[in-house]
């Protein structure tokens, strides 16, 4: 049996008296798209933040590629190869698309100007940014230097997804990537997700949109009351089953690991 | 999934060409708004040029001469350096009320270390710069780690530094002749280069060089991008991989260092070292005024350091121009007040380009 690329055991996170994560387990297999679904307040966001380094769990362990990892910030997780597209997108509105794509990992010019004066290689960054956006085909952007705040919601989402796809080497986490998008743009993001998967990079997809989840996911992690209720195969269960499980209307299937 | 809910298929026949936006529909006003959004230093530059032209027309060659124009530079050199420091803090969505006090305290350190302890003047200047950097580091640590509002931190630091300045110096002024005789290096930045009627003290050249270096750093280095990102939205910056703490610390320490430079410029300008120099009390407000007139948003993340420089020059032009015209000095303050409000209104209008 193959080892999970990202594995969490017994994750617990409390905010005062609220327990957001209650001894939660999590497994992501290589090359798969794993959807995480759950009701509002089930602790999905906290789980994702614990995996991406934005939240440090009180208890429990996370393993990447079989090695225990200890993320204290999103930067740690990024360096380990986990890229996250947050629901808030984590972009600086006043800065340009290129600036935002390379935020925190800017390319510095080679030669004296770079070494001595730390001059950014803007031309190269703009070129790569344009390339990545074109790969997506998601953009209707003329100017790579336009401020992110002048983009529509869908375009911003596209830039954020492009950023993650460009740099994610081990795992990509997408938090509600289609929530703000129109029909056509959602379609492109779903195509992009398949595209990233075909490159062999596993994806964690958090979404409320059941048709999207059932369309792309290989397995579905159902989250309820701060822990993993069950993992189901979208081919064996219907959308209404999934909703019944996550709302507690129906007992989960006997075998919790439908791999 | 049943075919009946395959709503997306309906979109397949839709137009596939990318959306294009016609800028021409916006008209002249829209284009101006867009240009200003891209180049925030343009407004203060226009105001500056207009002010120089108007005073030049009204006052003639008395104002529009190399001597008078470089006099403005000399008169704004201290505020100009402090405004550059203030601009950095305001870009991170902070505010620094302690810049003037730090500068005055650093002049006292430079003077007293030379005279009380007999230090070589160059070492005393280095100590002054180090003290400025250290105070900046305390400000930065309190803002970034203890998460106190910058206004509160620097309001307190302003009083602390000003009081320390009086306590340490015993309110003792070091006279200009004594410095010239025993520690001339302290007045180094007061050395004047003359080209015809134009006079450029080294302090002015330092101010201009400082603004150019900071403009480069903000525009063309990763650090500069991080400063803007932190001012724009610190949480987003953190999630995107910016070390917000490190960025804030570097900004506050750099600002402390620049205040030390302002101190050195002050000794060059006044010749003497006085703990009761007015810069300690009003330097912060003068710097904030220049920054605001320069079009840097108090909400952080927008504006350019050139704007702050132009802002300082606008104030200088008004002060000299109105004095030459024989107007009551209160007119200067009145007009500067109008400019502040106008500048913030323009900033709000420019921001609407995003809506």
């Amino acid at each position: 049996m193959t080892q999970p690329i990202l594995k969490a055991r017994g994750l617990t996170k409390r905010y005062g008296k609220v327990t957001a994560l209650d001894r939660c387990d999590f497994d992501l297999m290589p090359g798969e798209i794993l959807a995480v679904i759950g009701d509002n307040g089930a602790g999905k966001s906290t789980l994702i933040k614990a995996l991406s380094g934005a939240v440090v769990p009180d208890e429990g362990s996370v393993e990447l590629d079989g090695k225990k990892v200890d993320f204290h910030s999103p930067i740690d997780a990024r360096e380990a190869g986990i890229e996250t597209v947050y629901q808030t997108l984590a972009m600086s509105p006043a800065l340009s698309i290129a600036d935002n794509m390379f935020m925190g990992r800017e390319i510095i010019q080679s030669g004296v100007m770079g070494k001595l004066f730390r001059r950014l290689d803007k031309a190269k960054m703009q070129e790569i940014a344009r390339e990545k956006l074109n790969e997506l085909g998601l953009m209707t952007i003329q100017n790579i230097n336009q401020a992110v705040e002048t983009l529509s919601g869908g375009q911003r989402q596209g830039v954020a997804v492009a950023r993650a796809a460009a740099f994610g080497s081990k795992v990509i986490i997408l938090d509600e990537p289609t929530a703000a998008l129109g029909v056509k743009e959602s379609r492109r993001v779903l195509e992009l997700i398949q595209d990233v998967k075909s490159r062999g990079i596993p994806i964690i997809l958090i979404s409320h949109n059941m048709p999207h989840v059932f369309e792309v996911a290989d397995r579905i992690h159902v989250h309820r009351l701060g822990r993993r209720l069950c993992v189901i195969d979208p081919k064996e269960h219907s959308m209404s089953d999934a909703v019944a499980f996550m709302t507690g209307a129906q007992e989960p299937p006997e075998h919790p690991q439908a791999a | 999934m049943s075919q009946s809910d395959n709503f997306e298929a309906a979109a397949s026949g839709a137009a596939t060409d990318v959306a294009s936006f016609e800028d021409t529909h916006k008209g002249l006003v829209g284009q101006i708004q867009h240009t200003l959004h891209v180049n925030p230093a343009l407004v203060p530059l226009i105001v500056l040029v207009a002010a120089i032209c108007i005073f030049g027309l009204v006052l003639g060659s008395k104002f529009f001469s190399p001597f008078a124009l470089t006099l403005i530079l000399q008169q704004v050199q201290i505020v100009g350096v402090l405004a550059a420091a203030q601009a950095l803090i305001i870009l991170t969505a902070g505010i620094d009320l302690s810049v003037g006090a730090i500068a005055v305290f650093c002049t006292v350190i430079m003077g007293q270390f030379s005279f009380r302890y007999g230090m070589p003047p160059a070492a005393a200047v280095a100590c002054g710069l180090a003290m400025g950097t250290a105070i900046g580091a305390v400000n930065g640590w309190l803002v970034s780690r203890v998460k106190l509002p910058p206004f509160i931190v620097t309001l307190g630091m302003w009083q602390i530094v000003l009081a320390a300045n009086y306590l340490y110096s015993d309110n003792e002024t070091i006279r200009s002749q004594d410095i010239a005789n025993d520690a001339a290096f302290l007045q180094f930045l007061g050395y004047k280069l003359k080209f015809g009627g134009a006079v450029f003290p080294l302090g002015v050249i330092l101010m201009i060089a400082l603004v150019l270096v900071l403009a480069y750093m903000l525009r063309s280095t990763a650090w500069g991008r991080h400063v803007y990102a932190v001012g724009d939205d610190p949480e987003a910056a953190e999630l995107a991989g910016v070390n917000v703490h490190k960025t804030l610390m570097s900004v506050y320490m750099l600002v402390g260092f620049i205040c030390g430079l302002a101190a050195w410029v002050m000794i060059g300008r006044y010749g003497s070292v006085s703990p009761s120099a007015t810069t300690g009390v009003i330097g912060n407000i003068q710097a904030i005024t220049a920054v605001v007139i320069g079009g840097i948003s108090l909400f952080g993340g927008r504006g350019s350091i050139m704007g702050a420089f132009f802002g300082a020059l606008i104030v200088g032009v008004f002060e000299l121009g109105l004095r030459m015209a024989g107007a009551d000095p209160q007119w200067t303050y009145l007009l500067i007040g109008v400019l502040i409000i106008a500048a913030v209104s323009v900033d709000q209008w420019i921001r609407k380009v995003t809506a």
Side-chain angles (χ1 to χ4, degrees), chain A:
Chain A
M1 192 178 156
T2 50
Q3 283 298 309
I5 183 158
L6 189 63
K7 179 168 118 179
R9 287 292 171 266
L11 289 181
T12 301
K13 179 72 190 176
R14 294 184 198 88
Y15 295 105
K17 284 184 178 161
V18 180
T19 304
L21 281 181
D22 180 18
R23 288 159 290 149
C24 174
D25 294 344
F26 178 87
D27 292 281
L28 177 71
M29 295 313 212
E32 75 168 348
I33 298 177
L34 176 73
V36 176
I37 60 170
D39 233 346
N40 289 330
K44 297 186 303 281
S45 298
T46 312
L47 170 65
I48 292 322
K49 284 185 176 158
L51 295 174
S52 68
V55 155
V56 181
D58 300 327
E59 287 159 34
S61 65
V62 179
E63 284 178 23
L64 180 66
D65 263 347
K67 270 178 251 130
K68 194 174 178 313
V69 287
D70 223 1
F71 298 143
H72 289 282
S73 74
I75 304 173
D76 292 346
R78 263 172 45 162
E79 276 165 10
I82 301 177
E83 278 294 323
T84 309
V85 178
Y86 297 93
Q87 220 174 336
T88 55
L89 301 185
M91 293 210 268
S92 300
L95 295 181
S96 75
I97 297 167
D99 281 337
N100 268 291
M101 279 191 75
F102 285 89
M103 186 56 65
R105 52 186 146 212
E106 291 82 358
I107 300 174
I108 289 172
Q109 276 184 1
S110 53
V112 183
M113 280 311 284
K115 281 208 185 77
L116 222 55
F117 298 106
R118 318 292 304 156
R119 191 184 174 86
L120 293 176
D121 196 338
K122 290 199 172 178
K124 192 166 172 189
M125 289 196 284
Q126 285 162 14
E127 190 192 312
I128 296 176
R130 199 174 289 123
E131 209 173 276
K132 296 295 174 192
L133 292 177
N134 279 345
E135 266 177 36
L136 286 191
L138 189 74
M139 293 301 92
T140 52
I141 289 165
Q142 303 105 48
N143 185 355
I144 203 82
N145 288 320
Q146 79 191 76
V148 163
E149 64 195 354
T150 61
L151 300 177
S152 72
Q155 289 175 322
R156 288 184 208 193
Q157 185 83 49
V159 173
V161 173
R163 174 167 73 179
F167 296 102
S169 59
K170 292 239 170 76
V171 175
I172 292 178
I173 302 174
L174 301 170
D175 192 359
E176 295 283 1
T178 56
L181 300 188
V183 174
K184 279 173 73 186
E185 285 173 317
S186 296
R187 172 62 32 215
R188 291 212 175 113
V189 170
L190 293 176
E191 279 165 10
L192 168 77
I193 291 173
Q194 300 284 15
D195 208 46
V196 174
K197 184 198 170 189
S198 69
R199 282 193 249 161
I201 300 171
I203 294 168
I204 304 170
L205 171 70
I206 298 96
S207 183
H208 273 116
N209 188 317
M210 288 296 155
H212 290 165
V213 164
F214 272 74
E215 182 184 341
V216 297
D218 297 309
R219 295 189 308 146
I220 299 171
H221 169 130
V222 182
H223 209 73
R224 183 167 157 71
L225 302 175
R227 53 197 310 187
R228 179 168 68 186
L229 181 74
C230 59
V231 176
I232 58 173
D233 186 331
K235 289 187 222 52
E236 290 171 9
H237 292 85
S238 69
M239 290 186 212
S240 30
D241 288 344
V243 173
F245 295 147
M246 78 185 215
T247 54
Q250 191 179 326
E251 284 299 307
E254 283 293 302
H255 50 101
Q257 278 281 25

Side-chain angles (χ1 to χ4, degrees), chain A residues 78 94 99 120 122 187, chain B residues 8 219-220 225-226 232 240:
Chain A
R78 263 172 45 162
D99 281 337
L120 293 176
K122 290 199 172 178
R187 172 62 32 215
Chain B
E8 287 165 349
R219 192 186 290 269
S220 297
R225 301 287 88 190
H226 294 176
D232 219 352

